[in-house]
């Protein structure tokens, strides 16, 4: 008993240690967790298994089909018939047909020898399985995209909160100086009040930023499949210091999972067109049956006696001759479906290229904005520091200090916004190239 208690404690401590260790996540950790726990992954896995079972079903139609039937009949009221007069006598004779009880057992077997439609159904199993695999890949890419996008939003919200807290601290230092100056009559009370308003405004912005952070964090937990009540802390500290390196790559529509899905669906539609056409081709099958039947019994104890067997073997040919042009109409409908999908694929390729070109333009623009934003923050900080020193020395006015502080805050905000735009543009570019899985593997 003591050993069991000790073992249970060890398990609980191990689980608690694991839960504690999973509270700090890098971006790759979040994606790893989501790929294992988000519900759509299990749905995609079920779709793959569903395609495998469809393949088995298609093959089963070409395998032998065997069945057996048995009947126990109680003829409650037997049929009667009449033999006309003159056959067995001068008067018509009435006789009873059959016996009260009868047993019949029959086994049937059939084997398709040639059926073009069934063969094409077996051939369609491979693209069906490929489509299920592509759906799994698409699910993984969607999870990677959604988690990365939400992760960046949470991370940027953290940086925004840190900046606002820094701004509050700097403004508080200025308020302390202004309070002394106001109390000594150096400045007007309105100058202190104006700075205090800025402090309160920043405090309100901080409250909103913290609320936005909590909302973004909850969205990230949902995209990961992480329980909402579990704590989650981001530990990727390199996002600010190591900006993403974007490699230029040519556009290849074949790399996109959506293109491959459309191409596979087009293959299936072409196979379906062949299956409809195959309806004109004769089919050949072999059938056999064997049974046994008792010759009938007037009492139930004779139900399983006096059996005689019967059986047959047949080669069956089925040749379609005329169906009122139904199959011809089906062929034309299916041919139009194929033509429409081919045209849609061409339209999709143009849309994919447009998305890729727009993503490239966006990434170039955001990279420039980030570089400019970084320079502006450094310049604004330098101006603020110099203005603060000059204000303390009495060289600059309070208005100059407030303007420098406002410019510094605006530069910081612009830089934060340019960062989130850069990370989002990078995701959109990876998506437009069909390289989200590569992006994930390189994290």
């Amino acid at each position: 008993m003591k050993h069991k208690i000790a073992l249970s404690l060890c398990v609980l401590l191990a689980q608690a240690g694991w839960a504690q260790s999973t509270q700090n996540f890098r971006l790759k950790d979040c994606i790893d967790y989501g790929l294992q726990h988000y519900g759509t992954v299990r749905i995609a896995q079920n779709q793959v298994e569903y395609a495998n079972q469809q393949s088995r079903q298609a093959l089963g139609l070409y395998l032998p089909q065997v069945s057996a039937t048995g009947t126990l009949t109680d003829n409650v009221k037997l049929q009667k018939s009449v033999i006309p007069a003159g056959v067995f006598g001068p008067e018509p004779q009435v006789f009873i047909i059959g016996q009260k009880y009868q047993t019949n057992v029959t086994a049937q077997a059939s084997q398709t020898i040639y059926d073009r439609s069934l063969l094409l159904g077996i051939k369609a199993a491979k693209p069906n399985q490929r489509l299920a695999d592509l759906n799994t890949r698409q699910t993984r890419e969607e999870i990677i995209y959604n988690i990365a996008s939400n992760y960046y939003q949470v991370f940027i919200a953290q940086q925004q909160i840190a900046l606002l807290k820094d701004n509050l601290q700097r403004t508080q230092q200025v308020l302390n100086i202004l309070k002394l100056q106001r109390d000594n009559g150096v400045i007007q009370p309105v100058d202190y009040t104006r700075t205090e308003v800025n402090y309160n405004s920043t405090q309100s912005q901080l409250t909103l930023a913290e609320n936005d952070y909590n909302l973004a964090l909850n969205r990230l937990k949902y995209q990961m499949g992480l329980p909402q009540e579990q704590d989650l802390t981001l530990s990727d500290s390199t996002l600010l210091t190591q900006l993403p390196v974007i490699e230029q790559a040519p556009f290849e529509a074949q790399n996109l999972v959506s293109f491959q899905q459309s191409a596979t669906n087009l293959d299936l539609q072409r196979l379906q067109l062949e299956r409809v056409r195959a309806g004109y081709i004769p089919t050949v099958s072999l059938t056999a049956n064997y049974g046994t039947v008792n010759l009938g019994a007037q009492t139930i104890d004779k139900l399983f006696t006096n059996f005689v067997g019967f059986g047959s073997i047949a080669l069956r040919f089925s040749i379609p001759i005329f169906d009122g042009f139904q199959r011809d109409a089906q062929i034309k409908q299916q041919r139009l479906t194929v033509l429409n999908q081919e045209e849609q694929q061409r339209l999709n390729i143009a849309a994919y290229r447009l998305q890729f070109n727009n993503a490239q333009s966006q990434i170039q623009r955001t990279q420039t904005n980030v570089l400019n934003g970084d320079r502006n923050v450094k310049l604004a900080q330098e101006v603020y520091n110099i203005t603060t020193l000059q204000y303390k020395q009495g060289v600059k006015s309070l208005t100059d200090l407030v303007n420098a502080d406002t410019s510094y805050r605006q530069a910081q905000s612009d830089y934060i916004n340019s960062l989130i735009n850069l990370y989002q543009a990078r995701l959109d570019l990876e998506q437009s190239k069909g390289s989200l899985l590569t992006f994930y593997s390189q994290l």
Side-chain angles (χ1 to χ4, degrees):
M1 183 65 181
K2 292 181 179 179
H3 291 296
K4 291 183 178 179
I5 294 175
L7 180 60
S8 300
L9 287 175
C10 290
V11 173
L12 290 174
L13 288 174
Q15 291 177 344
W18 179 86
Q20 182 67 26
S21 66
T22 56
Q23 290 181 359
N24 296 321
F25 282 82
R26 297 174 298 121
L27 174 57
K28 192 173 190 304
D29 298 328
C30 291
I31 295 176
D32 288 339
Y33 189 95
L35 291 175
Q36 294 179 13
H37 295 88
Y38 194 59
T40 54
V41 175
R42 290 186 290 274
I43 294 175
Q45 292 171 345
N46 291 338
Q47 289 176 336
V48 172
E49 181 60 25
Y50 185 86
N52 292 336
Q53 298 306 318
Q54 282 185 316
S55 176
R56 290 185 61 226
Q57 180 183 358
L59 179 61
L61 293 174
Y62 224 95
L63 295 177
Q65 310 293 310
V66 181
S67 64
T69 59
T71 58
L72 299 175
T73 304
D74 179 359
N75 296 304
V76 178
K77 187 175 181 60
L78 293 171
Q79 181 181 351
K80 295 181 180 180
S81 186
V82 176
I83 299 176
V87 177
F88 294 108
E91 298 295 331
Q93 301 293 317
V94 178
F95 67 96
I96 298 175
I97 300 175
Q99 301 288 336
K100 179 172 177 55
Y101 299 102
Q102 189 173 40
T103 304
N104 189 341
V105 179
T106 307
Q108 300 91 17
S110 64
Q111 171 63 60
T112 299
I113 297 177
Y114 180 77
D115 189 325
R116 175 67 175 167
S117 179
L118 294 182
L119 291 173
L120 289 171
I122 296 174
K123 187 177 179 180
K126 187 174 181 179
N128 264 328
Q129 291 173 320
R130 183 166 69 248
L131 188 60
D133 292 335
L134 288 172
N135 289 338
T136 300
R137 175 188 161 186
Q138 183 182 47
T139 297
R140 290 172 59 85
E141 289 185 356
E142 289 174 351
I143 290 174
I144 292 170
Y145 182 92
N146 291 333
I147 289 179
S149 179
N150 283 280
Y151 188 96
Y152 292 147
Q153 291 178 21
V154 174
F155 182 81
I156 294 300
Q158 285 181 332
Q159 306 311 308
Q160 186 70 42
I161 290 172
L163 288 176
L164 288 171
K165 288 182 177 179
D166 180 66
N167 290 336
L168 281 175
Q169 184 179 4
R170 288 187 291 102
T171 306
Q172 184 63 58
Q173 293 173 353
V174 173
L175 280 174
N176 294 337
I177 297 173
L178 293 178
K179 185 176 184 300
L180 291 175
Q181 293 177 338
R182 182 196 64 183
D183 293 343
N184 293 327
V186 177
I187 63 172
Q188 297 294 325
V190 68
D191 293 331
Y192 177 86
T193 303
R194 184 172 58 181
T195 305
E196 188 177 24
V197 169
N198 289 337
Y199 179 88
N200 294 335
S201 176
T202 304
Q203 185 68 55
S204 298
Q205 293 175 12
L206 176 60
T207 302
L208 291 174
E210 290 173 340
N211 183 63
D212 291 341
Y213 166 78
N214 289 329
L215 294 176
L217 189 64
N218 290 338
R219 287 195 299 269
L220 176 59
K221 290 180 182 179
Y222 169 76
Q223 295 295 341
M224 292 171 55
L226 187 71
Q228 291 290 321
E229 62 273 10
Q230 184 168 337
D231 293 334
L232 175 63
T233 303
L234 309 190
S235 60
D236 213 337
S237 59
T238 62
L239 291 179
L240 286 176
T241 58
Q242 297 180 5
L243 296 179
V245 177
I246 312 301
E247 297 180 359
Q248 298 295 329
F251 171 73
E252 295 290 344
Q254 293 79 3
N255 295 334
L256 298 174
V257 65
S258 52
F259 175 89
Q260 296 176 28
Q261 286 173 322
S262 297
T264 305
N265 278 320
L266 186 55
D267 290 340
L268 288 172
Q269 292 299 332
R270 287 168 177 160
L271 281 174
Q272 180 61 24
L273 176 59
E274 290 187 44
R275 290 189 68 180
V276 178
R277 286 173 173 166
Y280 285 121
I281 301 176
T283 61
V284 183
S285 61
L286 180 67
T287 61
N289 69 81
Y290 181 82
T292 181
V293 58
N294 76 331
L295 295 179
Q298 293 295 335
T299 59
I300 197 169
D301 59 317
K302 302 295 185 180
L303 196 57
F304 299 100
T305 61
N306 197 21
F307 279 97
V308 294
F310 61 90
S312 66
I313 297 177
L315 186 64
R316 183 174 181 270
F317 294 87
S318 178
I319 303 175
I321 297 176
F322 181 71
D323 62 358
F325 303 107
Q326 295 181 57
R327 187 165 286 107
D328 180 69
Q330 291 175 342
I331 291 174
K332 291 179 179 178
Q333 292 174 47
Q334 188 61 29
R335 187 182 295 119
L336 290 172
T337 299
V338 171
L339 291 175
N340 285 341
Q341 288 210 359
E342 290 174 344
E343 185 61 34
Q344 186 62 54
Q345 184 75 311
R346 286 189 285 270
L347 292 173
N348 289 341
I349 293 175
Y352 299 148
R353 183 176 293 277
L354 174 62
Q355 183 180 10
F356 174 77
N357 292 338
N358 289 345
Q360 278 193 319
S361 299
Q362 181 67 12
I363 200 71
Q364 293 171 358
R365 183 164 55 251
T366 54
Q367 284 177 317
T368 301
N369 290 341
V370 167
L371 294 176
N372 291 337
D374 184 50
R375 286 194 296 266
N376 288 339
V377 168
K378 294 176 181 178
L379 291 173
Q381 183 179 20
E382 183 179 355
V383 170
Y384 175 80
N385 291 337
I386 294 174
T387 304
T388 300
L389 180 61
Q390 291 177 336
Y391 176 78
K392 292 179 180 179
Q393 295 172 347
V395 178
K396 291 290 185 179
S397 65
L398 178 61
T399 301
D400 294 330
L401 179 61
V402 171
N403 290 338
D405 180 67
T406 302
S407 298
Y408 186 28
R409 294 186 188 190
Q410 186 62 48
Q412 290 176 323
S413 179
D414 291 343
Y415 180 66
I416 291 297
N417 290 332
S418 67
L419 276 179
I420 187 63
N421 290 336
L422 174 62
Y423 289 128
Q424 187 63 49
R426 195 267 180 93
L427 275 179
D428 292 339
L429 181 61
E430 298 290 352
Q431 187 182 52
S432 68
K433 293 191 301 182
S435 56
L436 280 171
L437 292 176
T438 303
F439 158 77
Y440 159 64
S441 64
Q442 293 175 349
L443 290 175

